[in-house]
Amino acid sequence: MKVSIIGSGYVGSVSAACFAELGHEVICIDIDEKKVQMINDGIPPIWEEGLEGLMQKHAEKNLIATSDYDYAIQNSDISFICVGTPSNEHGNIDLSIVGSACKSLGMAMAKKDGFHIVVVKSTVVPGTTEDVVLHLLEEHSGKTAGKDFGVAMNPEFLREGKAVYDFMNPDKIVIGGIDGRTISLVSELYRDLECEVTRTNPRTAEMIKYVNNSFLATKISFSNEVGNICKRLGIDTYEVMNAVGKDFRISEHFLNSGAGFGGSCFPKDVRALIGKAKELDYYPVLLESVVEVNDLQPIQMLELLEENVGDVKDKRIAVLGLAFKNDTDDIRESRSIPIIRKLLEKGALVAAYDPMASEHMKAIFEDITYCESAEEALNGADACLIMTEWTEFRKLDHEFSGMKNKVVIDGRKMIDPDEMEQDIIYEGLCW
Ligand SMILES: NC(=O)C1=CN([C@@H]2O[C@H](COP(=O)(O)OP(=O)(O)OC[C@H]3O[C@@H](n4cnc5c(N)ncnc54)[C@H](O)[C@@H]3O)[C@@H](O)[C@H]2O)C=CC1
Ligand SMILES: O=C(O)[C@H]1O[C@H](OP(=O)(O)OP(=O)(O)OC[C@H]2O[C@@H](n3ccc(=O)[nH]c3=O)[C@H](O)[C@@H]2O)[C@H](O)[C@@H](O)[C@@H]1O
């Protein structure tokens, strides 16, 4: 099938490369000419395991990129909207990027003969596809939904760092369409994946995505709350949650307590669902607490730090991990950001290290010291904070020897002091 993908970020570029791998003809559309050029050169615009191989295999064959909506719409039958849906200043969803993509798409559809399908893959609050996207497309194309074009919502559940694997091996495929014809055509795209398709209406598909992310975020905040209590009781919460997770009704996943959840989606999606609920005069007590617990975790890390080293003014603090999680260069809503901000406010000297994300963090904190290795960051440090679950941090040992004061506050349970040769003063955040 002929597909166009609007937006070449984490979701768009992975979807494009994977649809190309599934044998479809794919055109990426992005307003960022640099990304367009990179994709045409077979270079992924973001780092994701396995993406480069797919892009090199398909670029300039069945995967091309352009900034020209007219060309892309004339040469495809289905368009996926994969642009960002960030939070606005009140925490509610900001649909302005979706709006401008719909305008460009509608104007291109006006010039096209024949049936076209528009699929929203961006995460949008329930009602958006039918009440906003569909109307904008009708307004700018002069055409009628259901007759001249189809509209569907197909949420994406991939994880960053495992995005290509997740796209090709989904747990579920959800397609919410305005009619059966549209749902059938969209599901054809996924016919070679071994996965049941949940067919529904657009607003249910939209809600499934929010509930999925909010439930996972709730599991993490619940684990953090339990961890905070365990810490005060002198109990290792990981031992507790390992046993609790053996109950098949709970499952062992997403019970790791620590510095909390970051990333481009959990924080903004929980906030957006809260905002939508409040718009409908419902106050979502549990979801508000999920955010509150998450916001408290970095503050507790700093409290532990100060309990161990006192005033941090003029002290060198090594921050290990800047990405919001391991195996990605993405720093959006990373837990390191509030930590570094507070450390700088208190006059600390921050020496940071991340295997992949330093370049991105420089856009937020220009003036901290960026190191090439954990060892360099730790050298001469008065304390160390472990913020991201990078596998390489599990192996740290002799690297701590250069610290002035060997205080390690672990926000991700990366270090086992009993297994190390170095003697360190170790504090787990929740254990
Ligand atoms: N990042 C993730 O792991 C996941 C994200 N999502 C959702 O997918 C959506 C996209 O997220 P990301 O890929 O992370 O966003 P992103 O910010 O990485 O990428 C968005 C892309 O859209 C482009 N763009 C902006 N305006 C445009 C326009 N008018 N026309 C064409 N291109 C335009 C940007 O240049 C950028 O390349 C969001 O709604 C997000 O919540 C869903 C599942 C996973
Ligand atoms: O909508 C999205 O964007 C995506 O959001 C998450 O994926 P992602 O943000 O890439 O990363 P996760 O692996 O879910 O981790 C999110 C955050 O939770 C934290 N986390 C995760 C698991 C855990 O047990 N504890 C914990 O603190 C991680 O450190 C990270 O900061 C979901 O897992 C995806 O299914 C979803 O598609």
Side-chain angles (χ1 to χ4, degrees):
M1 294 174 90
K2 294 181 175 179
V3 191
S4 49
I5 308 276
I6 302 168
S8 302
Y10 285 85
V11 168
S13 59
V14 169
S15 304
C18 291
F19 277 137
E21 179 70 2
L22 290 171
H24 302 297
E25 283 179 45
V26 182
I27 305 176
C28 297
I29 312 170
D30 206 290
I31 49 171
D32 183 340
E33 292 289 354
K34 210 169 119 210
K35 287 190 175 178
V36 168
Q37 188 58 49
M38 288 176 85
I39 295 169
N40 285 329
D41 291 341
I43 303 166
I46 48 135
W47 190 90
E48 266 302 330
E49 197 180 324
L51 188 57
E52 189 169 9
L54 289 184
M55 288 229 160
Q56 283 178 357
K57 182 170 165 195
H58 297 289
E60 296 204 311
K61 294 181 191 109
N62 60 336
L63 174 65
I64 58 167
T66 179
S67 55
D68 182 350
Y69 271 85
D70 288 349
Y71 171 81
I73 303 316
Q74 289 294 342
N75 290 286
S76 61
D77 305 314
I78 303 185
S79 297
F80 279 80
I81 297 176
C82 300
V83 297
T85 47
S87 298
N88 65 19
E89 71 270 28
H90 308 294
N92 298 333
I93 191 166
D94 175 356
L95 287 171
S96 58
I97 310 176
V98 170
S100 68
C102 287
K103 184 176 174 193
S104 308
L105 182 53
M107 284 160 62
M109 282 163 60
K111 300 173 203 155
K112 184 186 170 175
D113 296 325
F115 195 73
H116 196 83
I117 291 178
V118 176
V119 186
V120 178
K121 208 178 228 324
S122 297
T123 303
V124 291
V125 291
T128 305
T129 300
E130 284 165 295
D131 301 342
V132 180
V133 171
L134 185 151
H135 289 294
L136 284 171
L137 293 172
E138 285 190 332
E139 182 189 334
H140 294 289
S141 68
K143 298 188 172 191
T144 307
K147 179 168 86 64
D148 304 315
F149 66 94
V151 177
M153 202 279 153
N154 169 219
E156 182 49 62
F157 300 97
L158 61 79
R159 293 162 298 171
E160 288 183 26
K162 301 272 180 287
V164 170
Y165 176 86
D166 285 350
F167 192 97
M168 296 307 247
N169 302 277
D171 297 323
K172 54 180 172 280
I173 295 170
V174 176
I175 303 173
I178 56 165
D179 52 36
R181 174 191 184 188
T182 302
I183 296 176
S184 297
L185 284 165
V186 178
S187 52
E188 267 298 288
L189 279 170
Y190 294 101
R191 65 178 177 263
D192 290 338
L193 296 181
E194 274 175 38
C195 183
E196 194 191 322
V197 174
T198 300
R199 295 164 167 252
T200 184
N201 56 53
R203 67 177 52 221
T204 306
E206 291 161 336
M207 190 62 174
I208 290 169
K209 174 66 192 173
Y210 278 98
V211 175
N212 214 95
N213 272 1
S214 299
F215 189 72
L216 291 171
T218 304
K219 282 187 91 171
I220 298 169
S221 277
F222 178 83
S223 306
N224 283 335
E225 180 119 295
V226 169
N228 294 338
I229 301 169
C230 281
K231 174 81 181 169
R232 284 151 183 85
L233 286 167
I235 296 169
D236 182 346
T237 190
Y238 274 70
E239 225 182 302
V240 173
M241 294 317 250
N242 276 343
V244 170
K246 291 193 195 314
D247 186 325
F248 75 94
R249 296 166 302 175
I250 294 172
S251 110
E252 74 211 77
H253 303 288
F254 278 70
L255 299 181
N256 293 334
S257 56
F261 57 79
S264 64
C265 291
F266 283 173
K268 88 163 166 64
D269 290 349
V270 178
R271 284 195 298 259
L273 188 54
I274 291 171
K276 190 69 196 173
K278 286 183 180 168
E279 216 179 281
L280 303 167
D281 284 335
Y282 178 77
Y283 191 86
V285 185
L286 178 61
L287 293 178
E288 288 275 17
S289 304
V290 167
V291 174
E292 210 176 312
V293 171
N294 199 52
D295 289 345
L296 269 175
Q297 293 310 95
I299 295 170
Q300 303 216 44
M301 266 189 101
L302 289 173
E303 284 171 3
L304 271 180
L305 172 71
E306 284 171 336
E307 273 168 33
N308 280 276
V309 300
D311 188 355
V312 293
K313 189 166 185 328
D314 295 331
K315 293 204 168 114
R316 177 177 166 106
I317 310 296
V319 175
L320 302 187
L322 300 173
F324 82 91
K325 66 170 194 181
N326 58 317
D327 297 336
T328 180
D329 60 359
D330 196 343
I331 57 155
R332 290 180 285 183
E333 304 231 18
S334 166
R335 300 291 78 198
S336 311
I337 297 171
I339 288 272
I340 295 175
R341 190 163 287 133
K342 274 266 174 263
L343 285 172
L344 293 177
E345 275 169 28
K346 288 170 183 278
L349 310 168
V350 175
Y353 166 68
D354 189 280
M356 267 187 206
S358 293
E359 282 310 310
H360 287 164
M361 198 56 102
K362 284 177 188 168
I364 300 184
F365 301 111
E366 224 181 308
D367 293 330
I368 62 173
T369 305
Y370 290 94
C371 301
E372 293 299 317
S373 65
E375 189 166 14
E376 188 189 331
L378 291 166
N379 202 16
D382 292 279
C384 156
L385 299 172
I386 300 180
M387 299 305 304
T388 310
E389 55 273 56
W390 286 104
T391 313
E392 67 172 75
F393 296 159
R394 286 193 195 284
K395 298 182 203 122
L396 292 175
D397 192 339
H398 72 87
E399 290 84 352
F400 292 110
S401 63
M403 290 180 81
K404 195 156 111 196
N405 189 11
K406 292 178 194 162
V407 172
V408 179
I409 316 287
D410 189 350
R412 298 289 179 188
K413 204 166 171 59
M414 289 285 105
I415 303 285
D416 183 350
D418 296 336
E419 294 290 313
M420 286 172 49
E421 283 177 15
Q422 279 296 314
D423 264 341
I424 57 170
I425 301 163
Y426 180 83
E427 281 279 6
L429 177 55
C430 302
W431 47 93

